[in-house]
Amino acid sequence: MQIIGNGARVDPTTRIGPFTIIEDGVEIGPENIIGPNVIIKKGTILGRGNVISAGAQLGVEPQDYHFQGEPSCCIIGDNNIIREYATISRATGKGEKTLIGDNNFIMTYVHIAHNIRMGSNITIASGTQIGGYVEIDDFATIGGLAGIHQFCHIGKYAMLGAKSYLNRDLLPYLLASGNRACVYGINTKGLLLHNFDWTTIDEIKRLFKIIYHNSNPDIRMELLKNEKTVYATEFLNFIKGMKRGLCHLCPVYH
């Protein structure tokens, strides 16, 4: 038996397991598979073709002293896999949103806090804990049992190793690990798996050296501006938008 609020809108093609609770104010699209003992709280909007495993909780109240019960949302896209006992919070702030894109793999016991912006095709391994207001861009990979400080930004195709603690912003295409996490270089294996060619990888490596081998931030930014390539522009825009500061280079790399 499920408990589905009278005000919930659930597409008839979605399958719902026993003992699942869906509150009023929830919207669930077509062809989802929702396992047993799942809780989906008000303000959650779930797209198409997602698989939600047993015990997961979506749209839960933020674990945030600033939250005062105001209406907010948790919006989850299409074709995501959310495994057992993962939790995703709705946002703090009236009308604010926690946003999860498409085709993400969120493994067991992952916690995704309030006001997070996640892109698509992201893998987050078991036990990872992600603080509020974090941004994670497309195709990023996060190893198991990692901790990510609030307001951090992880760029696309970046990888954070297992058991890491990240308290700064991680540029696109890079590999970081450790407690506290530091950068080891380019996520070469990940880029090859996503069909990047060696010419492109070499270009990213060259830009990486410009960024990390210039300690003067003004010189670094000027050199990136002069490059005028797609990847240089990506790095430039990412650095301009940083809130936590650049993830440090590991001492072994110097």
Side-chain angles (χ1 to χ4, degrees):
M1 182 184 74
Q2 312 98 1
I3 299 174
I4 301 175
N6 292 330
R9 295 166 55 189
V10 181
D11 189 277
T13 62
T14 283
R15 293 155 48 192
I16 302 172
F19 308 111
T20 283
I21 299 172
I22 299 173
E23 293 187 346
D24 289 341
V26 170
E27 298 180 25
I28 298 177
E31 300 174 359
N32 294 286
I33 300 173
I34 301 173
N37 298 296
V38 172
I39 297 176
I40 304 180
K41 306 281 282 184
K42 64 181 180 181
T44 301
I45 300 173
L46 190 63
R48 172 190 290 269
N50 298 284
V51 178
I52 315 297
S53 295
Q57 298 197 23
L58 310 181
V60 297
E61 290 79 5
Q63 298 176 56
D64 180 2
Y65 285 120
H66 296 99
F67 181 70
Q68 300 296 319
E70 62 272 16
S72 61
C73 295
C74 172
I75 301 175
I76 299 171
D78 301 335
N79 302 312
N80 296 286
I81 298 172
I82 301 174
R83 293 300 301 266
E84 293 83 357
Y85 303 103
T87 57
I88 303 176
S89 299
R90 62 186 176 98
T92 294
K94 185 177 181 180
E96 295 296 322
K97 302 175 180 68
T98 296
L99 296 175
I100 312 293
D102 305 327
N103 304 304
N104 296 300
F105 190 4
I106 299 167
M107 299 186 193
T108 53
Y109 295 101
V110 168
H111 174 63
I112 296 175
H114 56 91
N115 300 83
I116 278 178
R117 301 287 189 271
M118 265 181 63
S120 298
N121 301 291
I122 295 162
T123 300
I124 305 177
S126 298
T128 291
Q129 309 292 293
I130 305 174
Y133 300 97
V134 165
E135 294 182 54
I136 306 174
D137 295 339
D138 297 348
F139 294 99
T141 301
I142 300 170
L145 301 173
I148 302 172
H149 194 283
Q150 61 184 358
F151 293 103
C152 283
H153 187 183
I154 297 176
K156 65 182 184 180
Y157 294 100
M159 180 171 183
L160 180 66
K163 299 183 181 179
S164 295
Y165 168 56
L166 181 70
N167 68 333
R168 288 177 174 265
D169 297 317
L170 178 58
L171 284 170
Y173 312 110
L174 301 192
L175 170 65
S177 188
N179 183 2
R180 301 180 176 181
C182 56
V183 171
Y184 280 85
I186 305 300
N187 182 22
T188 303
K189 185 174 181 180
L191 297 182
L192 290 171
L193 286 171
H194 286 99
N195 299 314
F196 281 67
D197 58 56
W198 279 107
T199 301
T200 301
I201 292 171
D202 287 341
E203 166 68 6
I204 293 169
K205 285 181 179 178
R206 189 177 64 80
L207 295 169
F208 165 77
K209 290 177 181 178
I210 288 174
I211 294 166
Y212 276 99
H213 292 180
N214 285 282
S215 57
N216 185 316
D218 294 330
I219 294 174
R220 176 197 301 152
M221 296 296 276
E222 194 61 35
L223 288 169
L224 285 175
K225 286 178 185 176
N226 292 336
E227 287 294 323
K228 301 186 186 305
T229 67
V230 171
Y231 294 103
T233 301
E234 283 184 15
F235 282 130
L236 192 64
N237 290 337
F238 188 99
I239 292 169
K240 285 179 179 178
M242 288 191 308
K243 296 177 181 176
R244 296 287 305 168
L246 199 61
C247 189
H248 294 308
L249 191 65
C250 288
V252 295
Y253 199 94
H254 284 286

